[in-house]
Amino acid sequence: EGSSAADPEALRRQFEQYEEMIDAREAEEWDGTGDLMVREWRRAHLNIEQQEPCTVYALGCGTLREQVFFELLSLNSIRVLYDFRADAQAAQGKHLLPENLKLACKARSL
């Protein structure tokens, strides 16, 4: 005998997939400043495979003056900055100390 009712388990799985798609789409909404993955909700719904390809620059800032450092970022249209230094507190210039760098980036909408 054929059943015209839909399989409840199949419907549940289908709605779960819809929810995941909606969550991922909403998680992608980002103003382009700051850390995309800073919010726990985004980390839970986004992964690297979902991101558009991009170019990653590694910049050794060493003895660069603040103005030169930010000019280099600007010339290359870099809007997001991650600090991967092993010991950022040992920065050669005060402007490159983590807290100062964070404030300078914020002032420049990075």
Side-chain angles (χ1 to χ4, degrees):
E1 157 182 352
S3 171
S4 61
D7 177 14
E9 183 60 24
L11 281 173
R12 185 189 63 75
R13 284 192 308 268
Q14 185 175 12
F15 279 106
E16 282 178 0
Q17 287 177 332
Y18 291 149
E19 287 294 323
E20 287 177 21
M21 289 169 46
I22 290 169
D23 286 346
R25 195 172 310 129
E26 289 175 355
E28 288 176 351
E29 293 177 10
W30 177 50
D31 64 2
T33 63
D35 188 347
L36 172 63
M37 302 304 275
V38 75
R39 291 199 164 80
E40 183 178 338
W41 189 80
R42 286 183 177 149
R43 288 192 307 269
H45 295 96
L46 293 177
N47 58 53
I48 195 71
E49 290 80 12
Q50 293 171 300
Q51 304 306 304
E52 294 290 322
C54 66
T55 302
V56 176
Y57 296 91
L59 177 63
C61 45
T63 59
L64 292 179
R65 291 178 298 122
E66 181 177 2
Q67 180 181 354
V68 174
F69 177 74
F70 284 103
E71 283 175 358
L72 283 172
L73 297 180
S74 179
L75 287 171
N76 289 286
S77 301
I78 296 171
R79 296 181 11 206
V80 179
L81 186 66
Y82 291 93
D83 189 349
F84 292 113
R85 295 176 289 177
D87 184 10
Q89 294 297 332
Q92 292 182 357
K94 285 186 177 183
H95 62 282
L96 295 173
L97 290 170
E99 194 56 38
N100 296 339
L101 188 57
K102 184 176 182 178
L103 290 172
C105 286
K106 206 175 253 190
R108 292 170 172 84
S109 297
L110 292 177

